[in-house]
């Protein structure tokens, strides 16, 4: 409740809004507005103005002033001048980069320069507001509008691959689902690299280290001992959920998927539940890596400098004892702008993400020698694994009609006066009442994790083909489902206007299709070639076909069965899709497959002879003083969401580097 508004006044405003909503919700904007009396139109205009004032107040109040450097000459010098020296230069202020910079500078003797090609994510309202994240996917100013190469396995079309261009990286634009993968994933990492410190029993320390979890009385079965309580990243139960959330979980249980308490708990990942933990704080704002780690106190440290709008164009090398050492970096604001240099006494760490970390390495002469030579780049070190083994979670969306009106949030993109008033009410609840409400939703509100070889869900009599087991362990999943209280297409930029819908989404957690990142040119401002190689194996296609089959079963299990309009034959929706053959569903998979924004493993932590790029201390093979820290180092993709593992990797690397420097 607002401290400045009497409770009765607030209640009266809400009651009036509800009354008006019921009368105007279904009518078109222009027709309704013009039919109103002058007093009514004036009232709506006044209400809109009031909401605009509230929004402005919220945006100004919630924006924390952060001391970022925009004049690049304050952190570097043009060629020919003596460049400044730091102990560590971090290339990229994404999910891992912000965390690493904050942890390293806890030691006042370690001087760190963090270079980010974009600006502040916290300065963008859509990033702070949990429900608005999808509005950023096509915002070219803040997000790289990458496109894949033609995907042969996906009807030979290119796919949009949005990647954040701001501090916080993709933690500033993702759906805020705090799920970290399966324990077996990290045991597999330890096995691949031959270092038990990366096993789940050891790496889980770093998950707890970054977490700040507060138990919720509505969820007593979540084991608080499995979570950290004093870390910088607040996780919890602060997101709004719709009536579809619990209905989805019940439908999953009735379809044969057991209910679970905590996707990050000691019992493992399998099961269905509300997305109980989200990166949304108790003020109902997104918790990004920038917001969590680059606090005002951290930015006030004299040993940390954070420069924005600074694109690293290459690594500067120094030859020491016949081996190349990363001595610093060159960076610029724009392609035609001046280049600046800065030196690193101890390490350069690339934290630019699964697309741009290998890009920076190749631009700097580290990568497959023949590929570098083809683009006229001098070869500093021939490292064939750079850019290879790209893997992403491919997703397929399902769209269903509600039977009558149950609950919808399509008014987030208003089309009628009723929508406008609903949105006004939501803004009022969020900014004045401060009770969260619809604007505190992350939309991906309930999930389920399953295995495609589970005989209870996929009986051998109905699914006789034995598919390759690509999971990390016998209790690790290979499919994830999540529910949204409205259906959408094209990265949520296309809704089904004027129709109440529900979305179910399934994605493949452990694809056997791997792709690669390559150079388009030697120009550092050119977008690299991105080829995830979606659906290149039969196993991937058939597992997603099974995923659709189980999705249709969930949709036809109670209470979903009674809430969805399964007699609809409208081709926009999937009520009759269950009647299709596997071959026909395979074509649906090819047509609909998209990224779920989780690319990894292009600078793998693995033995050199297995295509590895970094060792178990994230040092790049064959050169000195160069490390990588982000999702690109994952030996294999995790069976879930990638942000948590990015935090844990950064936390672990910070401890390793501090130990090395001692």
């Amino acid at each position: 409740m607002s401290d400045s508004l009497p409770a009765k006044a607030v209640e009266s405003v809400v009651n009036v809004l509800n009354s008006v909503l019921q009368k105007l919700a279904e009518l078109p904007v222009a027709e309704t507005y013009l039919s109103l009396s002058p007093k009514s139109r004036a009232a709506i205009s006044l209400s809109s103005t009031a909401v605009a004032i509230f929004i402005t107040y919220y945006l100004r109040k919630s924006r924390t002033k952060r001391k970022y450097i925009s004049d690049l000459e304050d952190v570097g010098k043009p060629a020919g001048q003596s460049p400044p020296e730091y102990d560590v230069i971090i290339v990229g202020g994404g999910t891992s980069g912000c965390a690493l910079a904050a942890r390293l500078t806890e030691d006042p003797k370690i001087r760190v320069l963090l270079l980010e090609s974009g600006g502040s994510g916290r300065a963008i309202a859509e990033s702070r507001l949990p429900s608005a994240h999808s509005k950023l996917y096509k915002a070219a100013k803040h997000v790289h509008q990458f496109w894949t190469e033609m995907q042969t396995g996906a009807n030979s079309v290119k796919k949009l691959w949005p990647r954040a261009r701001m501090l916080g990286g993709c933690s500033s634009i993702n759906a805020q689902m705090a799920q970290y993968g399966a324990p077996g994933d990290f045991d597999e990492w330890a096995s691949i690299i031959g270092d038990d410190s990366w096993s789940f029993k050891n790496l889980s320390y770093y998950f707890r280290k970054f977490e700040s979890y507060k138990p919720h009385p509505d969820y007593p079965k979540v084991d608080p001992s499995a979570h950290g309580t004093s870390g910088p990243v607040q996780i919890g139960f602060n997101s709004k959920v719709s009536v579809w959330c619990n209905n989805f979980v019940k439908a999953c249980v009735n379809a044969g998927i057991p209910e679970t308490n905590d996707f990050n708990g000691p019992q493992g990942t399998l099961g269905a539940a509300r997305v109980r933990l989200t990166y949304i704080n108790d003020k109902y704002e997104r918790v990004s890596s920038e917001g969590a780690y680059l606090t005002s106190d951290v930015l006030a440290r004299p040993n940390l400098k954070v420069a924005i709008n600074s694109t690293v164009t290459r690594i500067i090398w120094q030859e020491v004892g016949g081996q190349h050492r990363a001595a610093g970096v060159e960076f610029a604001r724009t392609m035609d702008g001046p280049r600046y240099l800065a030196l690193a006494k101890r390490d350069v760490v690339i934290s630019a993400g699964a697309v741009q970390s290998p890009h920076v390495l190749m631009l700097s002469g580290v990568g497959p020698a023949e590929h570098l030579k083809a683009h006229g780049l001098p070869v500093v070190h021939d490292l064939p694994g750079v850019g290879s083994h790209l893997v992403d979670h491919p997703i397929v969306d399902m769209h269903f009609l509600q039977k009558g009106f149950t609950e919808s949030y399509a008014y987030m993109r208003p089309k009628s006066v009723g929508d406008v008033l609903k949105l006004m009410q939501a803004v009022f609840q969020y900014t004045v009442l401060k009770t969260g409400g619809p604007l505190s939703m992350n939309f991906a509100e309930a999930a389920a994790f399953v295995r495609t070889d589970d005989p209870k869900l996929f009986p051998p009599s109905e699914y006789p083909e034995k598919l390759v087991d690509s999971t990390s362990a016998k209790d690790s999943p290979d499919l994830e489902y999540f529910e949204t209280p409205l259906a959408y297409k094209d990265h949520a930029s296309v809704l089904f206007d004027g129709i109440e819908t529900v979305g179910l989404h399934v994605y493949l957690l452990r694809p056997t299709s791997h792709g690669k990142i390559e150079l388009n040119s030697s120009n550092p401002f050119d977008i690299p070639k991105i080829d995830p190689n979606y659906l290149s194996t039969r196993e991937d296609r058939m597992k997603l076909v099974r995923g659709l089959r189980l999705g249709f079963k969930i949709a036809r299990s109670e209470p979903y069965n009674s809430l969805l309009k399964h007699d609809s034959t409208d081709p926009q929706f999937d009520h009759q899709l269950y009647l299709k053959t596997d071959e026909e569903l395979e074509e649906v998979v090819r047509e609909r497959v998209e990224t779920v924004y989780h690319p990894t493993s292009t600078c793998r932590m693995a033995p050199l002879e297995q295509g590895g790029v970094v060792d178990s201390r994230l040092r790049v093979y064959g050169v000195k003083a160069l490390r990588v820290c982000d999702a690109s180092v994952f030996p294999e993709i995790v069976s879930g969401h990638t942000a948590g593992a990015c935090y844990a990797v950064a936390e672990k690397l910070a401890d390793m580097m501090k130990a090395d420097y001692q």
Side-chain angles (χ1 to χ4, degrees):
M1 182 66 65
S2 170
D3 295 333
S4 59
L5 288 174
K8 288 185 177 179
V10 171
E11 184 179 358
S12 296
V13 172
V14 173
N15 287 339
V16 169
L17 283 173
N18 281 329
S19 177
V20 176
L21 284 175
Q22 292 174 4
K23 296 178 180 179
L24 298 179
E26 302 302 324
L27 297 176
V29 174
E31 178 184 340
T32 302
Y33 187 76
L34 293 175
S35 69
L36 297 174
S37 68
K39 287 185 178 180
S40 297
R41 293 201 296 269
I44 290 177
S45 298
L46 182 61
S47 300
S48 301
T49 302
V51 170
I53 293 171
F54 287 142
I55 293 173
T56 303
Y57 172 74
Y58 158 68
L59 297 183
R60 288 178 178 174
K61 184 176 180 180
S62 62
R63 182 182 300 169
T64 303
K65 291 184 179 179
R66 285 170 158 75
K67 297 179 181 178
Y68 299 134
I69 296 167
S70 56
D71 186 346
L72 301 189
E73 199 153 354
D74 288 346
V75 294
K77 294 297 177 185
Q81 297 184 27
S82 179
E85 184 182 67
Y86 306 87
D87 292 296
V88 178
I89 297 176
I90 301 173
V91 179
T95 308
S96 296
C98 290
L100 182 62
R103 289 304 194 186
L104 287 176
T105 54
E106 290 174 338
D107 184 339
K109 291 185 258 183
I110 301 177
R111 299 163 299 156
V112 173
L113 170 63
L114 175 62
L115 297 169
E116 166 55 40
S117 66
S120 168
R122 286 287 302 168
I124 304 167
E126 292 88 346
S127 178
R128 299 197 306 279
L129 194 64
S131 60
H133 59 91
S134 65
K135 293 181 180 293
L136 288 168
Y137 294 153
K138 294 192 175 183
K141 181 180 179 181
H142 306 299
V143 174
H144 293 289
Q145 300 297 290
F146 293 153
W147 287 84
T148 69
E149 299 297 294
M150 293 286 190
Q151 294 301 288
T152 304
N155 293 345
S156 297
V157 299
K158 295 184 176 184
K159 298 287 183 176
L160 176 65
W161 255 44
R163 307 300 297 158
R165 186 172 181 261
M166 65 185 79
L167 284 166
C170 288
S171 74
S172 292
I173 67 170
N174 64 14
Q176 301 141 107
M177 298 169 73
Q179 192 277 337
Y180 310 148
D185 298 340
F186 307 104
D187 293 339
E188 182 184 48
W189 286 15
S191 177
I192 290 171
I193 195 60
D195 183 343
D196 195 54
S197 71
W198 289 97
S199 67
F200 182 72
K201 68 180 180 182
N202 293 315
L203 191 62
S204 59
Y205 164 79
Y206 290 105
F207 287 112
R208 293 191 299 273
K209 185 177 181 181
F210 77 69
E211 287 181 323
S212 178
Y213 168 71
K214 293 181 181 179
H216 193 286
D218 291 347
Y219 302 97
K221 293 183 180 180
V222 175
D223 181 2
S225 67
H227 298 283
T229 59
S230 58
V233 180
Q234 188 177 144
I235 61 171
F237 303 89
N238 299 309
S239 61
K240 158 80 173 177
V241 294
S242 74
V243 299
W244 292 101
C245 177
N246 288 335
N247 286 333
F248 171 80
V249 176
K250 292 175 183 176
C252 285
V253 171
N254 288 329
I257 303 171
E259 187 171 2
T260 187
N261 299 316
D262 182 358
F263 293 130
N264 299 320
Q267 79 285 348
T269 306
L270 294 171
R274 170 186 169 176
V275 178
R276 302 189 185 282
L277 300 180
T278 56
Y279 300 114
I280 298 172
N281 65 22
D282 54 14
K283 295 180 181 178
Y284 307 107
E285 291 189 338
R286 169 192 294 278
V287 178
S288 68
S289 185
E290 177 194 10
Y293 285 96
L294 298 186
T295 64
S296 297
D297 288 344
V298 170
L299 291 171
R301 294 172 182 168
N303 58 327
L304 174 63
K305 290 188 175 182
V306 180
I308 57 176
N309 303 316
S310 52
T311 297
V312 170
T313 53
R314 66 183 176 96
I315 297 163
I316 301 167
W317 299 103
Q318 179 184 46
E319 193 166 344
V320 178
Q323 193 173 25
H324 284 89
R325 175 188 179 278
V329 298
E330 177 189 81
F331 54 100
R333 181 182 297 277
T334 63
M335 182 173 65
D336 299 322
R339 301 294 204 261
Y340 298 90
L341 306 178
L343 302 180
K345 181 180 178 181
R346 295 183 182 273
D347 278 296
V348 173
V349 184
I350 304 176
S351 295
V355 173
Q356 288 159 297
S357 284
H359 191 214
V360 171
L361 281 173
M362 287 186 281
L363 290 169
S364 305
V366 177
E370 294 306 313
H371 181 59
L372 302 182
K373 291 176 184 176
H375 290 281
L377 290 165
V379 179
V380 171
H381 181 63
D382 180 13
L383 193 54
V386 173
S388 68
H389 206 82
L390 171 63
V391 60
D392 180 38
H393 289 145
I395 192 169
V396 177
D397 300 325
M398 292 168 273
H399 319 112
F400 298 98
L401 279 168
Q402 296 184 25
K403 182 185 288 185
F405 173 75
T406 303
E407 189 173 18
S408 175
Y409 293 87
Y411 64 82
M412 295 291 192
R413 292 176 185 168
K415 299 292 184 181
S416 70
V417 169
D419 285 349
V420 172
L421 292 173
K422 283 184 181 179
L423 183 56
M424 288 164 56
Q425 183 186 31
V427 171
F428 187 81
Q429 185 175 359
Y430 189 85
T431 60
V432 180
L433 301 185
K434 300 186 185 304
T435 55
L439 296 185
S440 68
M441 295 184 71
N442 70 325
F443 284 99
E445 52 188 17
F449 292 84
V450 304
R451 292 180 60 94
T452 55
D453 61 2
D454 184 339
K456 294 180 181 178
L457 299 175
F458 304 99
S461 59
E462 298 178 35
Y463 300 90
E465 183 178 0
K466 187 174 178 60
L467 300 175
V468 172
D469 181 1
S470 58
T471 61
S472 60
K474 289 300 181 184
D475 58 353
S476 299
D478 55 3
L479 288 180
E480 177 181 350
Y481 294 84
F482 65 89
E483 163 269 325
T484 53
L486 57 98
Y488 57 79
K489 294 181 179 180
D490 195 16
H491 305 275
S493 65
V494 176
L495 303 181
F496 296 89
D497 294 337
I499 307 174
E500 308 301 346
T501 61
V502 176
L504 293 183
H505 316 268
V506 60
Y507 66 87
L508 185 59
L509 293 169
R510 300 285 294 188
T512 55
S513 300
H514 296 155
K516 58 186 175 181
I517 302 292
E518 292 185 316
L519 296 169
N520 257 316
S521 76
S522 60
N523 182 349
F525 288 87
D526 274 356
I527 292 173
K529 289 182 179 179
I530 300 168
D531 183 9
N533 199 25
Y534 286 138
L535 309 178
S536 64
T537 67
R538 174 176 171 77
E539 284 75 20
D540 289 359
R541 299 191 298 274
M542 290 301 99
K543 286 183 179 182
L544 282 170
V545 167
R546 289 189 183 186
L548 287 176
R549 291 280 185 213
L550 182 56
F552 301 148
K553 184 177 180 181
I554 294 169
R556 290 178 173 271
S557 297
E558 295 297 345
Y560 260 31
N561 186 57
S562 297
L563 298 172
L564 298 179
K565 194 176 182 181
H566 286 312
D567 59 351
S568 172
T569 57
D570 187 332
Q572 292 185 97
F573 300 101
D574 297 333
H575 299 277
Q576 307 306 316
L577 212 57
Y578 76 103
L579 298 172
K580 299 287 188 181
T581 65
D582 281 0
E583 290 74 19
E584 290 171 320
L585 288 182
E586 185 177 350
E587 291 308 308
V588 172
V589 167
R590 289 182 187 275
E591 177 188 352
R592 295 189 188 181
V593 68
E594 294 281 1
T595 179
V596 78
Y597 323 111
H598 294 165
T600 72
S601 307
T602 50
C603 299
R604 297 179 74 211
M605 177 173 56
L608 185 61
E609 61 273 16
Q610 295 180 26
V613 174
V614 299
D615 65 13
S616 65
R617 299 183 75 81
L618 305 189
R619 298 172 297 199
V620 177
Y621 289 120
V623 295
K624 293 183 177 180
L626 181 62
R627 307 192 198 223
V628 182
C629 178
D630 53 40
S632 71
V633 305
F634 293 5
E636 295 292 346
I637 197 167
V638 296
S639 307
H641 299 254
T642 50
C646 287
Y647 285 132
V649 166
E651 291 275 8
K652 179 171 168 54
L653 178 59
D655 278 0
M656 289 192 292
M657 292 174 71
K658 288 177 180 177
D660 288 349
Y661 298 165
Q662 292 299 320

